[in-house]
């Protein structure tokens, strides 16, 4: 028995009855590894992808922040992975599957956070949703159009991590809730760092969860574990689910749509992405070669734009629209 087979046997013997033990497979079947399970392989494929590295320079909430301590899409992803793994281990779910879904869930996020997502949503005839784009990244865009050929379970978890969706595995549900636990708490923390909020602004229902992000994450993780032990459903208690709902509304009103932070920059970002988009609609031959092959040009341009980091989008704008000073040859 090789190391991978021993690992799989250990998982069959020790994981919870509801845990995902064996993958249903991949679109293109591949040879099994002697060391790693299928889900370990997926986690590694995601970590080594180009889209994963680009998360480092994509906005979470605060755009190109001056300070070095604000979250980026990459640090958000790592926080989600850490919270998800703690929960998966406590519930005896498949930790590797959980980690792979968490690391891949935001791969399709646009530059400039939700401002960028809204801009693309308005530009495309069928709209734009980052979870669907994450699936395009892993199925089509990575590896020069071949995709990462991930397992069905990881793709399902990535596609269904948004609140309105229903993941097919309990590991997918863990990531869906951990994503919210992570961003609600770190977005409050960053908003305080940016002096958009002070602790006096937090409504009493947020303080019920704890007096700082660390206490609140601990409370939510423990609540989720206690509520989901020995049950087939992964869920927070109903009163805490209600608090999380209120928490999201509070964040939307006080941080995400804060006039001070975003109004001026939002308009500029939308305009900039629109201009780049229409430039490539008019001159598709100027797209990089790897983006020139697909039949649906609008989709291709959206793929290119969604893949950009904040700084690359700004450089593109400069290169296309800003005149450069004369330099003698
Ligand atoms: Mg996320």
């Amino acid at each position: 028995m090789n190391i991978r087979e021993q690992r799989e046997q250990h998982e069959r013997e020790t994981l919870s009855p509801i845990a995902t033990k064996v993958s249903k497979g991949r679109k293109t079947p591949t040879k099994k590894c002697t060391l790693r399970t299928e889900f370990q392989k997926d986690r590694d494929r995601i970590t080594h992808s180009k889209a994963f590295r680009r998360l480092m320079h994509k906005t979470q909430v605060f755009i190109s922040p001056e300070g070095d301590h604000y979250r980026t899409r990459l640090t958000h992803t790592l926080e989600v992975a850490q919270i998800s793994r703690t929960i998966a281990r406590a519930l005896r779910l498949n930790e590797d599957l959980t980690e792979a879904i968490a690391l891949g869930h935001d791969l399709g996020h646009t530059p400039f956070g939700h401002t960028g997502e809204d801009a693309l949503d308005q530009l495309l005839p069928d709209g734009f949703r980052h979870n669907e784009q994450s699936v395009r990244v892993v199925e089509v865009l990575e590896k020069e159009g071949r995709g990462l050929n991930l397992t069905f379970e990881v793709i399902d978890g990535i596609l269904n991590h948004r609140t309105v969706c229903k993941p097919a595995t309990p590991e997918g549900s863990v990531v869906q809730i951990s994503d919210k636990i992570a961003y609600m708490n770190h977005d409050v923390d960053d908003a305080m760092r940016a002096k958009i909020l002070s602790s006096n602004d937090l409504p009493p229902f947020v303080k019920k969860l704890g007096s700082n992000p660390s206490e609140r994450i601990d409370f939510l993780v423990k609540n989720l574990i206690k509520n989901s032990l020995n049950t087939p459903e992964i869920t927070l208690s109903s009163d805490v689910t209600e608090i999380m709902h209120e928490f999201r509304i509070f964040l939307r009103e006080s941080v995400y749509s804060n006039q001070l932070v975003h109004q001026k920059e939002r308009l500029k970002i939308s305009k900039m992405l629109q201009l780049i988009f229409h430039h490539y609609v008019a001159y598709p031959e100027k797209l990089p070669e790897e983006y020139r092959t697909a039949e649906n040009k609008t989709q291709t341009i959206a793929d290119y734009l969604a893949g950009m980091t904040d700084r690359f989008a700004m450089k593109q704008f400069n290169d296309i629209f800003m005149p450069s000073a004369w330099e003698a040859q």
Side-chain angles (χ1 to χ4, degrees), residues 60 73 76-77 80 102 105-106 109 130 161 179-180 183:
Q60 174 63 25
R73 195 59 62 182
H76 159 71
T77 295
V80 176
H105 84 283
D106 271 350
H109 237 297
H130 76 269
H161 78 267
D179 185 28
K180 284 194 212 69
Y183 77 69

Side-chain angles (χ1 to χ4, degrees), residues 201-260:
D201 299 325
L202 294 181
F205 62 80
V206 173
K207 290 180 182 163
K208 253 195 223 169
L209 305 177
S211 59
N212 58 50
S214 152
E215 274 182 30
R216 289 193 283 272
I217 291 173
D218 188 62
F219 178 92
L220 291 165
V221 167
K222 284 179 177 155
N223 179 279
L224 181 67
I225 292 168
K226 191 165 160 238
N227 252 279
S228 313
L229 265 178
N230 308 317
T231 68
E233 239 203 296
I234 308 297
T235 176
L236 294 158
S237 62
S238 54
D239 55 329
V240 173
T241 303
E242 185 52 36
I243 293 179
M244 291 288 271
H245 180 69
E246 298 288 318
F247 200 165
R248 279 185 89 185
I249 297 172
F250 166 74
L251 274 176
R252 201 180 314 138
E253 287 168 359
S254 55
V255 180
Y256 304 146
S257 50
N258 185 300
Q259 298 289 316
L260 245 175

Side-chain angles (χ1 to χ4, degrees), residues 36-51:
R36 299 167 302 160
T37 66
E38 294 302 294
F39 300 133
Q40 282 179 282
K41 266 166 74 174
D42 280 7
R43 179 205 51 205
D44 298 349
R45 285 177 185 198
I46 291 168
T47 316
H48 289 275
S49 68
K50 286 199 285 189

Side-chain angles (χ1 to χ4, degrees), residues 162-299:
R162 289 176 65 220
T163 317
V164 288
C165 308
K166 180 97 187 88
T169 62
E171 289 82 359
S173 299
V174 167
V175 175
Q176 187 184 49
I177 301 173
S178 302
D179 185 28
K180 284 194 212 69
I181 296 178
Y183 77 69
M184 286 186 189
N185 286 293
H186 64 50
D187 289 352
V188 163
D189 190 45
D190 277 357
M192 288 191 177
R193 182 164 289 109
K195 305 208 179 339
I196 301 303
L197 284 181
S198 80
S199 55
N200 296 333
D201 299 325
L202 294 181
F205 62 80
V206 173
K207 290 180 182 163
K208 253 195 223 169
L209 305 177
S211 59
N212 58 50
S214 152
E215 274 182 30
R216 289 193 283 272
I217 291 173
D218 188 62
F219 178 92
L220 291 165
V221 167
K222 284 179 177 155
N223 179 279
L224 181 67
I225 292 168
K226 191 165 160 238
N227 252 279
S228 313
L229 265 178
N230 308 317
T231 68
E233 239 203 296
I234 308 297
T235 176
L236 294 158
S237 62
S238 54
D239 55 329
V240 173
T241 303
E242 185 52 36
I243 293 179
M244 291 288 271
H245 180 69
E246 298 288 318
F247 200 165
R248 279 185 89 185
I249 297 172
F250 166 74
L251 274 176
R252 201 180 314 138
E253 287 168 359
S254 55
V255 180
Y256 304 146
S257 50
N258 185 300
Q259 298 289 316
L260 245 175
V261 198
H262 290 303
Q263 210 44 37
K264 216 169 64 182
E265 300 308 314
R266 253 185 104 85
L267 288 172
K268 289 187 208 162
I269 289 163
S270 302
K271 195 78 198 154
M272 180 177 77
L273 294 177
Q274 279 168 25
L275 286 167
I276 301 176
F277 182 87
H278 290 304
H279 170 79
Y280 284 115
V281 171
Y283 307 103
E285 71 279 5
K286 296 201 170 163
L287 280 166
E289 198 153 356
E290 59 194 286
Y291 287 91
R292 270 185 246 160
T293 47
E295 282 176 15
N296 182 344
K297 276 282 161 255
T298 316
Q299 179 64 57

Side-chain angles (χ1 to χ4, degrees), residues 272 275-276 279-280 283 286 288 304 308-325 327:
M272 180 177 77
L275 286 167
I276 301 176
H279 170 79
Y280 284 115
Y283 307 103
K286 296 201 170 163
Y304 187 45
M308 291 179 184
T309 58
D310 298 9
R311 61 185 191 174
F312 185 80
M314 291 193 275
K315 186 176 177 304
Q316 273 275 300
F317 181 83
N318 262 316
D319 289 350
I320 300 170
F321 296 108
M322 299 298 282
S324 45
E327 274 179 51

